[in-house]
């Protein structure tokens, strides 16, 4: 981070929020600093940290958009604009159909730039940390919105650490009775679990020392909200005795090979529990990219112990998810293929992955019984989110074809279209796209007019208009 730039932004924010206090009674600028510090700790780029520092200066402070543009440039200004846009989309208190529709709008804004999501998550994290200062209704609404939107959002982005923090901060406000009951029910078990874990850690350390002297072993406690959710699963049915990962050991090593070495060593000393056994999320990662090996064994005193084995890099990924990956991808950018040079499109598969993750989440919510029960919300059901090969997302009506997509992206792309690939496979130009499709348009650069026959199948006004216009000329 450039210190002088940071200092300049800090002075700007201090001035913009001069005389303002937050609901906690602290100077308002403290909130901006907390958000910026979080973004710094996630190792995001300078512009993102600056945007965090300035994110409330226009909406809640005395600054203008023009000031920010002049002092900090286009990139920072754009992040702040988009954060404001998302903040204005109110999800709390809306009915179910509006909720999904608003979520969809939010995803479209966030898809443009990942940093917008990250600023928003850092903002929410700090607001939740000071939630005890809010009262009644506002407190409950904020907490509920956190549980319904921001925690699942963090989860979708693979940011397990942030997801866990947000959930545990919100839990006591959304379900106070259940929270207090669970705390008193589990206190003894957590104590007993950590005593057992101390014992197990020592034995494991001795076991691994000869071959893997650098292996790092930690004990981790299951977070309360996540425990509460697990207790509601039908096979568990509220029975704490069926929870085997209340405390778990976590072994961190350097490589994938070492992960399997650790697994072998553990199973040669302690028997895996039949039926519960091993889950290998290294060979088969979870959809959000989570990788780790989990095994449940009969540990000290015959008690069941869960061990999670992963490399340091997997650990970083599991805690920080997309933020870690984004950071990594940025530094590796530089390798550009010939094809990318030729088409002018630099592929960032990472972006495609996370944007698709968000879109599929929105789709799941829209499809789920809970959210959609008896409501028919046409505008929503009849639209699809489709993607360019580099992960840009477009909102198209049902029945839209690759030609509609091409004209939505750019008139020239539509005019020169001669073929299309959907999810990597060649399809006819009148193919109907569905939610989540990745569309690539094949072009003939010498074409100057679109095909008039396309008018028989296009559904968007943009395509219809552009095609008709080119034949009127
Ligand atoms: Mn804020």
């Amino acid at each position: 981070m450039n210190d002088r730039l940071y200092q300049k932004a800090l002075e700007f924010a201090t001035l913009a929020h001069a005389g303002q206090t937050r609901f906690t009674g602290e100077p308002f600028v403290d909130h901006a600093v907390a958000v910026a510090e979080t973004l710094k700790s996630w190792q995001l780029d300078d512009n993102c940290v600056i945007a965090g520092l300035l994110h409330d200066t226009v909406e809640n402070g005395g600054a203008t958009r023009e000031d920010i543009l002049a002092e900090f440039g286009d990139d920072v200004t754009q992040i702040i604009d988009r954060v404001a846009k998302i903040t204005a989309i109110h999800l709390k208190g809306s009915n179910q159909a509006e909720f999904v529709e608003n979520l969809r709008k939010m995803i479209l804004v966030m898809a443009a730039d990942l940093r917008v999501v990250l600023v928003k998550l850092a903002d929410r994290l700090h607001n939740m940390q000071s939630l005890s200062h809010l009262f009644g209704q506002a407190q409950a609404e904020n907490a509920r919105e956190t549980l319904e939107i921001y925690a699942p959002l963090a989860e979708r982005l693979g940011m397990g650490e942030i997801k866990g923090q947000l959930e545990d901060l919100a839990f006591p406000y959304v379900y106070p009775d259940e929270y207090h009951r669970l705390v008193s029910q589990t206190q003894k078990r957590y104590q007993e679990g950590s005593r057992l874990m101390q014992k197990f850690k020592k034995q494991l350390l001795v076991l691994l020392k000869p071959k893997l002297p650098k292996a790092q072993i930690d004990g981790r406690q299951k977070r309360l909200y996540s425990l509460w959710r697990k207790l509601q699963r039908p096979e568990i049915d509220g029975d704490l005795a069926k929870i085997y990962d209340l405390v778990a050991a976590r072994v961190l090593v350097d490589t994938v090979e070492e992960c399997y070495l650790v697994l072998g060593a553990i199973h040669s000393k302690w028997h895996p529990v039949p039926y519960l056994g091993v889950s290998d999320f290294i060979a088969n990662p979870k959809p959000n990219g989570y990788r780790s090996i989990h095994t449940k064994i009969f540990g000290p005193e015959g008690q069941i112990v869960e061990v999670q084995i992963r490399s340091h890099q997997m650990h970083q990924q599991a805690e920080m998810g997309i933020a870690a990956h984004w950071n990594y991808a940025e530094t590796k950018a530089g390798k550009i293929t010939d094809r990318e040079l030729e088409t002018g499109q630099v592929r960032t598969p990472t972006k495609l992955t996370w944007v698709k993750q968000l879109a599929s989440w929105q789709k799941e919510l829209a499809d789920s019984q809970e959210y959609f029960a008896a409501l028919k919300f046409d505008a929503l059901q009849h639209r699809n989110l489709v993607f360019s090969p580099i992960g840009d997302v477009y909102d198209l009506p049902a029945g839209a074809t690759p030609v509609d997509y091409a004209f939505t992206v750019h008139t020239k792309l539509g005019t020169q279209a001669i073929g299309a690939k959907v999810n990597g496979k060649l399809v006819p130009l009148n193919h109907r796209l569905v939610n989540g499709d990745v569309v690539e348009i094949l072009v003939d650069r010498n074409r100057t007019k679109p095909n008039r026959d396309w008018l028989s199948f296009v559904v968007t006004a943009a395509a219809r208009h552009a095609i008709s216009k080119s034949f009127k000329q």
Side-chain angles (χ1 to χ4, degrees):
M1 178 79 221
N2 178 331
D3 286 337
R4 276 177 62 191
L5 183 63
Y6 188 87
Q7 209 49 44
K8 180 179 157 188
L10 180 59
E11 278 162 25
F12 185 99
T14 309
L15 196 65
H17 293 302
Q20 292 181 315
T21 48
R22 284 183 90 222
F23 51 81
T24 57
E26 297 157 335
F28 197 96
V29 73
D30 289 6
H31 165 64
V33 172
V35 171
E37 288 299 325
T38 300
L39 294 166
K40 244 199 224 176
S41 75
W42 296 348
Q43 300 184 314
L44 297 166
D45 68 13
D46 286 9
N47 282 353
C48 185
V49 176
I50 298 301
L53 207 41
L54 305 180
H55 79 277
D56 278 325
T57 56
V58 177
E59 297 293 312
N60 296 311
T64 67
R65 189 180 179 281
E66 288 67 36
D67 293 339
I68 294 179
L69 189 62
E71 298 289 328
F72 301 97
D74 205 29
D75 192 38
V76 170
T77 310
Q78 203 159 59
I79 301 174
I80 296 169
D81 282 349
R82 287 178 171 143
V83 170
K85 225 181 212 173
I86 289 188
T87 308
I89 301 174
H90 276 295
L91 294 155
K92 45 191 175 192
S94 53
N95 74 40
Q96 290 166 338
E98 284 167 353
F99 175 88
V100 179
E101 178 62 15
N102 283 337
L103 180 62
R104 172 187 197 86
K105 281 187 196 147
M106 217 168 118
I107 288 169
L108 285 167
V109 177
M110 295 189 296
D113 188 342
L114 175 62
R115 295 172 298 176
V116 176
V117 193
L118 299 172
V119 172
K120 202 56 213 171
L121 284 175
D123 178 44
R124 180 51 60 124
L125 194 60
H126 187 244
N127 284 338
M128 289 303 297
Q129 283 160 350
S130 22
L131 200 60
S132 62
H133 297 271
L134 269 185
F135 296 101
Q137 185 84 354
Q139 208 178 42
E141 278 180 358
N142 272 300
R144 183 171 289 280
E145 192 180 56
T146 299
L147 275 189
E148 286 178 352
I149 299 293
Y150 291 98
L153 177 63
E155 182 176 26
R156 286 284 155 163
L157 297 171
M159 303 175 75
E161 170 60 24
I162 310 307
K163 173 211 163 220
Q165 283 188 30
L166 288 173
E167 284 178 346
D168 275 9
L169 286 164
F171 187 23
Y173 300 103
V174 182
Y175 304 102
D177 298 346
E178 290 85 345
Y179 170 80
H180 291 296
R181 202 176 312 136
L182 190 64
V183 170
S184 64
Q185 274 174 351
T186 52
Q187 211 165 24
K188 270 231 170 71
R189 281 178 188 268
Y190 273 118
Q191 279 167 6
E192 174 59 17
S194 57
R195 184 191 64 82
L196 200 70
M197 190 49 61
Q198 286 308 319
K199 201 167 174 179
F200 178 70
K201 261 170 71 175
K202 271 186 205 138
Q203 299 180 3
L204 187 56
L205 214 55
V206 172
L207 178 74
L208 297 180
K209 193 139 198 204
K211 276 187 181 167
L212 295 159
K214 284 198 300 177
Q216 185 186 323
I217 306 168
D218 298 314
R220 76 108 186 85
Q221 288 205 349
K222 193 172 188 64
R223 288 185 182 272
L224 271 177
Y225 183 75
S226 140
L227 170 63
W228 184 63
R229 289 297 299 266
K230 195 164 184 172
L231 283 166
Q232 290 166 355
R233 288 194 205 159
E235 74 272 21
I236 305 219
D237 196 26
D239 186 357
L240 270 167
K242 288 184 186 152
I243 304 282
Y244 303 111
D245 62 348
L246 202 58
V247 293
R250 195 171 273 160
V251 184
L252 299 181
V253 288
D254 288 328
T255 65
V256 171
E257 288 72 27
E258 288 175 355
C259 291
Y260 290 103
L261 264 180
V262 172
L263 182 69
I266 289 173
H267 283 181
S268 66
K269 181 171 165 81
W270 294 285
H271 287 290
V273 180
Y275 308 111
L276 296 176
V278 190
S279 309
D280 186 347
F281 300 117
I282 293 181
N284 296 305
K286 287 189 182 180
N288 69 2
Y290 177 81
R291 294 194 302 160
S292 206
I293 300 170
H294 294 187
T295 179
K296 292 184 183 70
I297 51 158
F298 292 109
E301 302 169 28
Q303 297 291 314
I304 296 176
V305 175
E306 176 166 309
V307 190
Q308 304 174 351
I309 307 161
R310 51 177 84 154
S311 69
H312 289 284
Q313 199 207 341
M314 290 173 202
H315 183 59
Q316 171 77 356
Q317 280 276 337
E319 304 271 288
M320 290 307 303
I322 191 72
H325 199 106
W326 183 78
N327 198 19
Y328 177 77
E330 283 295 286
T331 57
K332 295 282 162 178
K335 285 187 220 148
I336 299 173
T337 67
D338 289 345
R339 188 172 184 284
E340 286 167 348
L341 273 181
E342 201 218 324
T343 58
Q345 293 185 328
V346 177
R347 281 159 193 264
T348 52
T350 322
K351 185 180 176 196
L352 186 59
T353 315
W354 71 262
V355 178
K356 281 194 83 161
Q357 273 286 330
L358 291 185
S360 74
W361 172 41
Q362 163 269 330
K363 177 98 165 73
E364 269 165 44
L365 287 183
D367 289 349
S368 79
Q369 288 289 321
E370 295 158 56
Y371 283 98
F372 230 62
L375 295 155
K376 289 258 185 294
F377 201 65
D378 273 6
L380 179 64
Q381 278 193 327
H382 297 156
R383 296 196 75 84
N384 293 313
L385 294 180
V386 304
F387 302 91
S388 78
I390 57 170
D392 291 331
V393 57
Y394 296 90
D395 190 7
L396 293 175
T401 64
V403 175
D404 291 292
Y405 163 83
F407 279 106
T408 305
V409 176
H410 199 279
T411 311
K412 194 171 157 196
L413 189 66
T415 308
Q416 298 186 333
I418 51 161
K421 280 185 181 175
V422 169
N423 306 322
K425 283 192 196 127
L426 276 170
V427 295
L429 282 172
N430 64 357
H431 177 87
R432 303 288 170 191
L433 300 171
V434 298
N435 211 46
D437 277 346
V438 179
V439 189
E440 188 177 353
I441 299 296
L442 310 174
V443 296
D444 172 357
R445 283 170 203 278
N446 299 318
R447 276 186 81 130
T448 54
K449 272 189 188 303
N451 187 333
R452 194 195 285 258
D453 297 343
W454 292 347
L455 284 171
S456 67
F457 61 74
V458 296
V459 299
T460 54
R464 187 167 296 283
H465 181 72
I467 298 167
S468 318
K469 196 174 142 199
S470 78
F471 286 101
K472 271 184 204 136
Q473 283 166 358

